[in-house]
Amino acid sequence: MSLTTEVVVIGAGPAGSAAAITLARAGREVLVVDKATFPRDKFCGDGLTADALRRLESLGLDPATVASWTPVHDVWLRGPAGHQIHLPLPDDGGLFAVVARRRDLDAAMVEVARAAGAELIEGTACTAVSVRPEGVRVDLSDGRGVSARYLVAADGMWSPVRKALGLSLTGYRGDWHAFRQYFRGVSTRAATELFCWFEPDFLPGYAWAFPSGSGTANVGFGIRRGSRWQVGDMAHLWRDLLRRPHIRQVLGATAEPEGPPRAWPIPARIGRIPLTSGDGRVLFAGDAAAATDPMTGEGIGQALATGTWAARAVIAAGPGDPQRARTHYQERVRRELIADHALSALLVRALQHRRGARFAIRLAGLTPWTRRNFRRSRRRCRAGWCHARRSRSPWRGTR
């Protein structure tokens, strides 16, 4: 059986859903295919920055549909020498940081895509991709084939689409590796406040505890590949990390694992990996584009952005001009992300050393001005788009 659509999106995570919503609202026929059945868990830190929140709001997500939606108003940073600073987020009735489990967030985004008019096929994998002058052909694991003018590949770090087109980087296993575990019965502070620990032996990586709803926390750490630690060391490092007094104190005496720990690679080399196929019929987004921030490990905001931009490139180009779509998308990503990522990569160098990490954290907490600008984060977040909405917005006053 053969299916025909204007655009096929492989992957229904944040990047794929953002692309599908944008396309469907523009009147394009769009089919989303994902090997999973939603809701499903996704290994992640679950943090949503101000940039991600603005993008979710513009895509029409209602926070009430995300069961674990947990606004954060207090951030704590601890440097490698034990110095701590408190960064209270602006208390003006809006949101600057939220934690939401990906199981809940992604399922809610899928429903927004459906409501916008996108069709979804779940529990079905992409097994083959071929590009033709008039479009693309995708073979599915259920025996069906899909013909489309364009393909948005939002299929993750190990992108089957990228592999099928011969565009994978040989031997590439991510720039960072992360490890997380959910804990229940955590202290009141761990259930409501956000903690980042820049441990001296983890630099330039860090450990975290993010409140994830109903008295639980997402606790984890990340290390950079090529640092003193190897991926095989992570289970041992995790046990050692949980024994550290300042982390035990935050989690509380009654904290216990909710399930097993999980590890995953983080691709962070956008600009050094092809963003599209040569003819422009296939556009990569999210982790398939290696769009994660190389300093913080943030990936949801970048996934939403690249998914939206890929869709807009397809809309602007129309069915018969894939080279225009290719150029449009590449220029947007270069303008919006690549320069910022280059700066983040430079900052990672400073964070490799205790002195650099100590200086950065002390600088962030030095004065009310530095605290205010640090908590507003990067330039795209400072305008506070989602917190500047009128009071009727469901995002205002969310607690």
Side-chain angles (χ1 to χ4, degrees):
M1 179 181 177
S2 182
L3 305 173
T4 302
T5 187
E6 290 185 69
V7 185
V8 59
V9 178
I10 306 299
S17 290
I21 293 165
T22 304
L23 288 160
R25 287 182 179 164
R28 300 302 190 271
E29 187 181 31
V30 55
L31 173 66
V32 185
V33 179
D34 198 294
K35 65 182 180 181
T37 300
F38 291 81
R40 57 92 177 97
D41 190 21
K42 186 72 173 179
F43 309 151
C44 185
D46 299 335
L48 300 172
T49 62
D51 182 54
L53 293 172
R54 294 211 315 263
R55 296 186 186 283
L56 288 170
E57 184 181 21
S58 69
L59 289 166
L61 178 73
D62 181 354
T65 64
V66 184
S68 54
W69 187 266
T70 306
V72 174
H73 302 285
D74 292 278
V75 175
W76 292 86
L77 305 181
R78 186 180 194 272
H83 177 71
Q84 292 191 98
I85 65 167
H86 177 216
L87 299 171
L89 299 182
D91 186 17
D92 60 359
L95 297 177
F96 284 81
V98 166
V99 179
R101 296 193 183 205
R102 289 287 300 278
R103 176 182 176 87
D104 302 327
L105 177 67
D106 291 9
M109 287 293 292
V110 163
E111 292 308 314
V112 176
R114 278 198 177 107
E119 183 181 352
L120 180 69
I121 297 177
E122 300 178 75
T124 304
C126 164
T127 58
V129 178
S130 58
V131 180
R132 305 167 182 176
E134 70 280 5
V136 296
R137 162 82 183 191
V138 177
D139 293 335
L140 304 180
S141 59
D142 63 3
R144 290 184 288 182
V146 181
S147 296
R149 294 290 189 180
Y150 290 94
L151 188 160
V152 176
D155 50 348
M157 161 78 191
W158 307 113
S159 175
V161 173
R162 186 178 288 281
K163 182 177 180 181
L165 296 179
L167 296 175
S168 297
L169 299 183
T170 303
Y172 179 57
R173 296 187 177 183
D175 298 276
W176 291 77
H177 216 82
F179 196 96
R180 71 101 163 111
Q181 190 169 27
Y182 289 115
F183 281 77
R184 60 187 170 220
V186 300
S187 71
T188 300
R189 292 191 68 197
T192 57
E193 301 174 17
L194 187 152
F195 295 84
C196 289
W197 299 288
F198 291 86
E199 300 294 287
D201 51 337
F202 281 62
L203 296 176
Y206 64 94
W208 70 78
F210 294 171
S212 54
S214 302
T216 69
N218 178 322
V219 188
F221 72 98
I223 57 172
R224 191 177 65 166
R225 283 189 176 273
S227 65
R228 62 183 290 189
W229 302 113
Q230 303 299 317
V231 173
D233 298 323
M234 295 188 82
H236 166 73
L237 288 171
W238 183 234
R239 292 189 293 270
D240 174 68
L241 191 70
L242 293 176
R243 288 194 292 265
R244 300 185 182 189
H246 55 283
I247 294 178
R248 291 205 322 267
Q249 182 182 30
V250 166
L251 295 181
T254 60
E256 61 178 6
E258 184 180 279
R262 302 293 187 187
W264 70 100
I266 296 177
R269 57 175 58 193
I270 197 165
R272 293 181 290 158
I273 187 170
L275 288 171
T276 70
S277 59
D279 63 350
R281 290 289 183 187
V282 179
L283 298 86
F284 297 96
D287 278 0
T292 304
D293 186 279
M295 182 177 71
T296 65
E298 176 199 357
I300 297 176
Q302 287 86 343
L304 296 168
T306 52
T308 301
W309 298 337
R312 288 176 180 170
V314 167
I315 293 165
D321 194 355
Q323 284 298 331
R324 183 182 176 194
R326 180 174 184 263
T327 300
H328 186 289
Y329 182 52
Q330 290 181 340
E331 289 181 351
R332 185 64 184 270
V333 172
R334 184 178 300 112
R335 183 171 66 249
E336 298 288 346
L337 285 186
I338 290 177
D340 278 356
H341 280 218
L343 176 60
S344 289
L346 289 174
L347 292 173
V348 167
R349 293 186 183 182
L351 292 174
Q352 291 183 85
H353 309 288
R354 295 188 187 191
R355 182 178 297 177
R358 286 199 302 267
F359 176 77
I361 291 171
R362 289 183 183 274
L363 179 63
L366 188 62
T367 69
W369 185 90
T370 59
R371 288 194 295 271
R372 180 173 65 253
N373 283 277
F374 182 90
R375 71 197 181 194
R376 288 184 184 274
S377 188
R378 302 152 66 97
R379 62 178 175 83
R380 291 192 303 276
C381 305
R382 288 178 183 166
W385 189 94
C386 71
H387 95 313
R389 302 289 287 177
R390 291 188 291 272
S391 59
R392 67 171 176 265
S393 167
W395 292 66
R396 257 191 96 77
T398 304
R399 289 289 186 268

